[in-house]
Amino acid sequence: MSNVIYISGWNASLCLQTDTDNNLLCDFNRLLYLDIPSTKYLKQGKHVISAKRDEFILKLKDRFVEKMKEGTSHITLYNYFGEILQYLRWSEKEYVEYFSQHSLQEYFDYLVKKVYLKKIKRTTYSKKLSDLTVVFRNFLDFPNKCFATIPLMGNSDQESFEAYSRSDLNQLLPLFRQIFNQTSKQFIENPKKHITAHKMTRTMIFKWQGKEYQLCGSITKMMCAATYLLSYYTYSNTGVIFGLIRPNNTSTSLGEEWYTMPAFKRRAFKSINVEMGEHNLEVPKYCMGFFDKLLEVSKELDSSNSGLLLQTVASKKPQPMKGITLQGFCKNWLDNKFALKDQTGRRLRPVISRFRETGAQLTAYYQGEIASNILMDNTLNVRKKHYSSGNKHTNNAMMQDTIAIRQEQAESKLSIKKAQISLGIEVLTIDEEYKVHIPKLSRTPNGSSCSNPFGEKSETYNRRARKHNLLKEGEKLACADLLACFGCPEQVIVQSVSDIWCLLSFRSCIEDSLYVHLDAHHYQQNFEDIVTYIDNNILPKIKRNILKKAEAKVNDEGNHPLWDDTESIISMIPKPSTKESNK
């Protein structure tokens, strides 16, 4: 019996719109006909041939509608649709009966051969088997025995996300910081201009390494850079970052501000909190500076109380960030303009999962696996499966270090450290990759810091100590003249509430020491220059909000514990000279 030729009658009720990044369609009209024509082809009313599988396709469509109402992930359903489509195309090509146990067996035998030929991975095979099992068993009510003879391949070749090396981060992070800093500054100056501009209109300029780039779709580029930076600073995954609600209030902990943003993890079916907190000396200051600027930009894009933190603009209206937005940013602009390469010559692209893996490796290195699991909010199995491989190039370099040192130890009978020195390995790869770039500053009790505590200023103390045999061989004393810090070129002021609180307490303690001096002239001679220097050269340069918080801390909690008593300053009062005493 020959097939009947039909004039296409495309039925809108058989086409399901999914809520995915690309607004993908599950068009069941296509599956009704041989060769599975495109939606566009069907809508043109061209001739098609019925595949005589209407009963199965209509049943599938009804089950898809039910699952959508139940809240099943649309991307999961679209994956099922894609697997059905591939299965039907293969069945048509091989002239095998559709939706039968025999066709299933033949189809997976074909896929097994592709695995052995290294054309697909075992993980890919297992995913296809899992998806079609759901389709046939749960949607079409096939019995379990249909899958009893289909071979299982496992996931032994699954690869976890690869962390970025230090070299990769040194290329990506400075670029994204500059993109965000420059574009956000231009956006804040005139938000309306950029929001209402057509996507092909150039409204911003980006300067990088001596070149100037005219930007169209500038808000999207700004927010894509912000998304990648936020993923690096928080180690959060894509779904969590895209779902972050802009925080309206801050919670206070130990005098520091913390922005807390709840996010829902769909697969884990639980809510978590993503936090960004103020820094002390050990945390790069630009992290919080970036987040403050991001909040300002986010409010300009969408001023509603429940607005998403990360949004872009389409047709002059705020739109949530999506994976397709990041893909377009990388493919259409980043790759074309910068063509970044990693150490092995591969194309270097920002990937949120790789930033998350990088964070997992750093946390595990410094705090251990348990701390890493807690921070990443993952179980041990998920951590092993997706976030445990590190970076291949870095791993090979670490292995080479280990082998070389062990060989030198065996041949020369040296300790590990001496073997490293003998080989001329100044810095181990593991130390270079996981080092934290902390400013080489030394805190001082007066609330400031010193960039060179063992410099020329410390020689006076070392000479005295050596003279009295108080130093061991190779030992050095740091400069400890707290009064000489003010006006010293090595002095550094860190703009954090805790440090400014300490500085204000030191100043207050000096003022309170007036009564232990011989007279006002004696006080002025000892400390007036220091107080004047603090008032004229330091405090005016402190950010107003930080200074206010530090002043409030002094008022509410009193002076810093180092300077809570005037006696703390007595030892610093210079003793009057012999001549002055005899007058």
Side-chain angles (χ1 to χ4, degrees):
M1 180 177 178
S2 61
N3 288 322
V4 180
I5 298 178
Y6 291 87
I7 299 294
S8 173
W10 185 81
N11 187 345
S13 66
L14 295 180
C15 184
L16 305 181
Q17 176 78 61
T18 63
D19 183 17
T20 55
D21 287 352
N22 295 336
N23 296 317
L24 301 168
L25 297 176
C26 291
D27 189 355
F28 289 90
N29 289 283
R30 301 175 59 198
L31 307 185
L32 295 173
Y33 306 105
L34 289 177
D35 298 328
I36 310 180
S38 67
T39 300
K40 181 179 178 180
Y41 185 90
L42 289 174
K43 285 184 174 181
Q44 290 173 348
K46 296 183 178 180
H47 291 75
V48 289
I49 302 174
S50 172
K52 298 185 180 297
R53 51 188 177 224
D54 299 35
E55 180 183 353
F56 292 106
I57 302 305
L58 294 177
K59 187 174 183 179
L60 281 172
K61 177 262 176 183
D62 291 339
R63 291 298 175 90
F64 268 60
V65 172
E66 291 175 9
K67 293 299 178 181
M68 284 183 172
K69 291 179 180 178
E70 292 173 2
T72 302
S73 166
H74 284 207
I75 192 65
T76 299
L77 291 175
Y78 185 78
N79 288 338
Y80 292 159
F81 182 82
E83 292 299 337
I84 296 168
L85 188 147
Q86 291 182 42
Y87 160 74
L88 290 177
R89 278 186 172 155
W90 177 86
S91 298
E92 289 180 3
K93 181 181 176 181
E94 299 296 326
Y95 300 102
V96 179
E97 182 185 0
Y98 319 116
F99 299 109
S100 65
Q101 182 175 359
H102 173 69
S103 66
L104 272 177
Q105 184 70 54
E106 292 292 318
Y107 180 59
F108 281 101
D109 286 345
Y110 159 76
L111 292 178
V112 166
K113 293 176 183 177
K114 293 188 72 173
V115 171
Y116 290 146
L117 292 172
K118 305 295 183 182
K119 291 183 178 180
I120 62 173
K121 289 186 174 183
R122 293 173 180 268
T123 50
T124 303
Y125 173 92
S126 298
K127 179 68 168 58
K128 289 178 177 292
L129 177 57
S130 174
D131 287 348
L132 285 180
T133 299
V134 172
V135 170
F136 277 77
R137 186 182 60 197
N138 298 353
F139 290 7
L140 297 177
D141 301 320
F142 275 57
N144 288 328
K145 66 179 182 180
C146 290
F147 297 89
T149 58
I150 293 177
L152 302 177
M153 302 296 287
N155 296 309
S156 58
D157 57 356
Q158 181 171 353
E159 297 182 14
S160 63
F161 300 113
E162 185 177 0
Y164 286 115
S165 68
R166 177 60 56 185
S167 173
D168 297 337
L169 295 176
N170 288 343
Q171 291 187 73
L172 292 170
L173 297 180
L175 175 60
F176 289 144
R177 288 187 194 118
Q178 283 302 309
I179 291 173
F180 181 76
N181 289 340
Q182 293 183 35
T183 54
S184 61
K185 182 179 179 182
Q186 295 173 69
F187 175 77
I188 294 300
E189 290 173 355
N190 191 349
K192 187 176 180 181
K193 169 188 173 183
H194 304 288
I195 292 174
T196 58
H198 188 271
K199 64 180 181 179
M200 299 305 294
T201 302
R202 294 183 175 91
T203 60
M204 291 189 190
I205 297 174
F206 173 60
K207 297 179 180 178
W208 178 250
Q209 296 181 344
K211 293 184 179 180
E212 193 172 278
Y213 302 88
Q214 300 284 336
L215 303 183
C216 57
S218 49
I219 292 178
T220 298
K221 292 179 174 63
M222 171 179 68
M223 297 308 288
C224 284
T227 301
Y228 287 124
L229 288 173
L230 193 62
S231 73
Y232 175 69
Y233 292 142
T234 64
Y235 307 159
S236 298
N237 60 30
T238 308
V240 168
I241 289 178
F242 286 166
L244 290 177
I245 304 296
R246 184 177 61 249
N248 294 317
N249 301 316
T250 60
S251 59
T252 304
S253 174
L254 298 177
E256 297 179 347
E257 285 187 345
W258 283 80
Y259 298 95
T260 302
M261 297 161 285
F264 181 69
K265 296 185 73 172
R266 185 187 58 78
R267 276 190 248 179
F269 201 73
K270 63 179 179 180
S271 292
I272 63 171
N273 285 328
V274 177
E275 298 183 345
M276 289 286 290
E278 268 192 359
H279 61 85
N280 285 314
L281 187 63
E282 292 80 10
V283 181
K285 184 179 174 181
Y286 47 70
C287 296
M288 282 304 294
F290 153 74
F291 193 73
D292 289 338
K293 184 65 70 175
L294 177 58
L295 283 178
E296 186 178 0
V297 167
S298 181
K299 289 175 183 176
E300 291 290 348
L301 289 172
D302 181 4
S303 58
S304 63
N305 291 332
S306 58
L308 292 173
L309 176 65
L310 295 169
Q311 298 189 70
T312 184
V313 169
S315 302
K316 303 179 183 180
K317 295 181 180 179
Q319 299 290 334
M321 292 289 291
K322 296 180 178 179
I324 189 68
T325 311
L326 298 179
Q327 291 170 17
F329 167 76
C330 293
K331 183 178 179 180
N332 301 328
W333 187 72
L334 193 67
D335 289 348
N336 290 336
K337 300 298 182 182
F338 304 102
L340 303 175
K341 302 288 184 182
D342 66 12
Q343 291 168 294
T344 62
R346 297 177 301 177
R347 182 178 61 188
L348 178 61
R349 263 191 176 182
V351 180
I352 289 178
S353 297
R354 293 191 65 185
F355 282 124
R356 183 168 168 81
E357 161 70 352
T358 305
Q361 293 296 321
L362 286 170
T363 307
Y365 178 74
Y366 282 102
Q367 301 180 44
E369 291 290 341
I370 294 177
S372 180
N373 294 339
I374 293 172
L375 182 63
M376 306 291 287
D377 193 51
N378 287 140
T379 63
L380 182 60
N381 287 337
V382 172
R383 170 90 172 83
K384 288 181 177 179
K385 186 176 180 181
H386 295 297
Y387 304 107
S388 60
S389 66
N391 180 270
K392 291 180 180 178
H393 180 78
T394 301
N395 292 344
N396 290 337
M398 291 180 188
M399 187 63 69
Q400 288 175 359
D401 284 351
T402 303
I403 293 172
I405 290 174
R406 289 301 187 191
Q407 181 179 356
E408 182 68 15
Q409 278 189 283
E411 292 176 353
S412 306
K413 309 300 182 183
L414 297 174
S415 66
I416 294 177
K417 194 64 182 177
K418 289 183 178 179
Q420 179 184 340
I421 295 172
S422 175
L423 291 169
I425 303 175
E426 295 183 5
V427 181
L428 292 173
T429 302
I430 191 171
D431 295 332
E432 178 66 26
E433 287 295 318
Y434 294 136
K435 69 180 178 182
V436 178
H437 295 281
I438 299 174
K440 294 181 179 180
L441 304 179
S442 175
R443 275 197 177 99
T444 55
N446 58 24
S448 64
S449 299
C450 182
S451 63
N452 191 13
F454 295 99
E456 295 180 5
K457 299 282 185 180
S458 69
E459 285 303 316
T460 303
Y461 298 96
N462 286 286
R463 279 196 299 269
R464 292 175 185 170
R466 280 193 289 268
K467 183 177 179 181
H468 293 88
N469 295 319
L470 298 175
L471 288 181
K472 297 179 182 178
E473 184 180 352
E475 191 175 20
K476 290 184 69 176
L477 295 177
C479 176
D481 192 346
L482 297 182
L483 300 182
C485 288
F486 300 95
C488 175
E490 306 291 355
Q491 186 185 37
V492 177
I493 303 298
V494 178
Q495 295 205 40
S496 69
V497 175
S498 58
D499 283 351
I500 304 306
W501 173 41
C502 186
L503 177 66
L504 293 177
S505 302
F506 176 73
R507 179 185 176 282
S508 175
C509 196
I510 287 178
E511 290 181 328
D512 292 343
S513 71
L514 174 61
Y515 77 92
V516 299
H517 282 78
L518 299 176
D519 50 36
H521 174 71
H522 187 209
Y523 165 80
Q524 293 170 357
Q525 188 179 25
N526 290 333
F527 293 130
E528 185 176 38
D529 288 346
I530 294 173
V531 173
T532 301
Y533 186 88
I534 293 173
D535 290 343
N536 295 340
N537 295 14
I538 297 179
L539 297 183
K541 297 177 182 179
I542 303 299
K543 285 186 177 180
R544 187 176 300 176
N545 64 325
I546 292 178
L547 183 58
K548 283 184 177 180
K549 291 174 186 175
E551 289 173 342
K553 200 171 179 68
V554 172
N555 294 331
D556 296 341
E557 302 181 24
N559 284 349
H560 191 280
L562 291 174
W563 307 109
D564 60 353
D565 195 321
T566 309
E567 293 182 2
S568 304
I569 208 77
I570 290 179
S571 60
M572 298 184 191
I573 300 176
K575 296 180 181 180
S577 62
T578 307
K579 292 182 180 180
E580 289 177 341
S581 302
N582 293 334
K583 286 183 180 179

